[in-house]
């Protein structure tokens, strides 16, 4: 079980573990990033045509890559977690509610996901985000402890044709793009699970879909539209505040 802790927003470079200048992590992911899911820092003067798409947001706010691993063969920054982090400093932050709690963060324990950020090629202009979900957490919800310990620390990667999350490099930062497969297509997936694996795993697949739909608006889940929001570097790899820090 993990525990959350509060940090000072004015001293995030002292609080979070981030990739620094000279790190093996690619330079475009150095520092600390603000996930502006509400589009409050728009428009960008240098790119006035960029639009925030989808009136939906989570309570997560800052992200950094200092505790991640780098795989030069796959071009992947590996092992980031929303629910969890390094023993000293954090890597993924959330708004706290009255009383110092973050229900959205706490909910992450249910699926204990980890994230790999994989560059498509050595131009480092596009990143595919792969979400790995803990099998033992999914099966625990469905079967209790009936499967024993063999599922411990076993992860499945959610296919990108169901949950497609990517980042597109921009001069001012990153464009975060998320597309969820339309409802009709997901119905086919569920039917396939039912036919191949029976009711138990079909229910597990449905539970996984509910996890994602809980964070997304109805139109997105029904029609499979793409949502966009900007991601700004607020602290650079040298620990300095950028023009996007506010």
């Amino acid at each position: 079980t993990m525990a959350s802790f509060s940090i000072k927003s004015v001293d995030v470079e002292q609080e979070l573990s981030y990739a620094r200048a000279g790190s093996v992590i690619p330079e475009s992911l150095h520092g600390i990033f603000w996930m502006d899911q509400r589009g409050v820092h728009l428009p960008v003067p240098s790119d006035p045509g960029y639009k925030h798409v989808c009136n939906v947001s989570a309570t997560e706010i800052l992200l950094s890559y200092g505790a991640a691993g780098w795989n030069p063969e796959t071009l992947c920054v590996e092992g980031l977690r929303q629910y969890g982090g390094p023993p000293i400093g954090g890597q993924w932050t959330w708004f706290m509610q009255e009383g110092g709690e973050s229900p959205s963060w706490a909910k992450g324990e249910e699926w204990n996901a980890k994230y790999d950020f994989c560059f498509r090629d050595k131009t480092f202009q596009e990143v595919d985000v792969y979400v790995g979900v803990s099998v033992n957490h999914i099966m625990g919800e469905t079967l209790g402890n009936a499967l024993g310990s063999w599922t411990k620390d076993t992860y499945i990667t959610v296919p990108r044709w169901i949950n497609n999350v990517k980042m597109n490099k921009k001069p001012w930062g990153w464009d975060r793009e998320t597309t969820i497969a339309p409802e009709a297509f997901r119905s086919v997936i569920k039917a396939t699970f039912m036919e191949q694996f029976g009711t138990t795993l079909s229910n597990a697949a449905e539970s996984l879909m509910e996890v994602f739909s809980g964070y997304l608006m109805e139109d997105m889940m029904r029609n499979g539209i793409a949502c966009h929001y900007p991601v700004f570097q607020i602290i650079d790899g040298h620990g300095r505040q950028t023009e996007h820090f506010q």
Side-chain angles (χ1 to χ4, degrees):
T1 300
M2 299 290 178
S4 62
F5 63 94
S6 61
I7 66 173
K8 297 178 180 179
S9 60
V10 295
D11 295 321
V12 291
E13 69 274 17
Q14 305 297 327
E15 303 274 7
L16 300 181
S17 176
Y18 60 92
R20 298 175 182 268
S23 166
V24 295
I25 302 294
E27 184 178 359
S28 59
L29 297 181
H30 288 180
I32 300 173
F33 294 85
W34 169 28
M35 297 175 282
D36 184 12
Q37 299 192 34
R38 293 154 185 82
V40 299
H41 198 47
L42 294 178
V44 178
S46 62
D47 189 6
Y50 179 80
K51 302 296 183 183
H52 176 269
V53 181
C54 290
N55 185 26
V56 60
S57 60
T59 59
E60 57 192 348
I61 181 168
L62 299 180
L63 174 65
S64 59
Y65 299 86
W70 168 246
N71 187 327
E73 299 298 323
T74 61
L75 302 180
C76 290
V77 177
E78 301 177 332
L80 272 81
R81 295 179 184 272
Q82 289 179 317
Y83 183 80
I88 300 177
Q91 62 184 359
W92 209 308
T93 74
W94 304 75
F95 288 118
M96 301 188 77
Q97 296 185 2
E98 186 176 354
E101 300 295 329
S102 175
S104 296
W105 170 81
K107 190 174 178 61
E109 183 180 12
E110 297 177 6
W111 51 320
N112 196 28
K114 63 179 181 179
Y115 298 78
D116 295 338
F117 291 70
C118 299
F119 289 92
R120 290 193 173 182
D121 55 45
K122 291 186 177 181
T123 65
F124 299 102
Q125 297 299 300
E126 293 180 282
V127 174
D128 291 314
V129 184
Y130 293 92
V131 184
V133 181
S134 171
V135 171
N136 60 306
H137 275 64
I138 296 173
M139 294 307 174
E141 290 288 324
T142 307
L143 301 176
N145 295 321
L147 293 183
S149 61
W150 71 271
T151 59
K152 182 175 176 60
D153 297 327
T154 300
Y155 282 77
I156 58 172
T157 300
V158 179
R160 293 185 61 250
W161 37 265
I162 294 178
N163 179 58
N164 184 2
V165 180
K166 61 177 296 198
M167 301 197 310
N168 309 298
K169 191 71 180 73
K170 298 289 186 180
W172 43 261
W174 292 94
D175 163 41
R176 174 69 176 264
E177 177 182 346
T178 304
T179 306
I180 299 295
E183 184 177 18
F185 184 70
R186 296 197 323 277
S187 297
V188 172
I189 298 300
K190 182 180 179 182
T192 301
F193 264 77
M194 177 75 78
E195 180 180 342
Q196 296 293 325
F197 303 110
T199 304
T200 297
L201 287 188
S202 176
N203 290 340
E206 184 66 18
S207 296
L208 182 59
M209 290 296 183
E210 289 177 0
V211 168
F212 287 111
S213 64
Y215 295 99
L216 301 167
M217 70 181 189
E218 184 178 353
D219 286 346
M220 184 179 182
M221 293 300 292
R222 184 188 302 118
N223 302 318
I225 63 176
C227 291
H228 296 262
Y229 67 80
V231 177
F232 299 106
Q233 183 195 55
I234 61 168
I235 300 294
D236 68 17
H238 297 279
R240 301 173 300 205
Q241 296 180 2
T242 72
E243 70 272 22
H244 302 297
F245 189 98
Q246 59 176 227

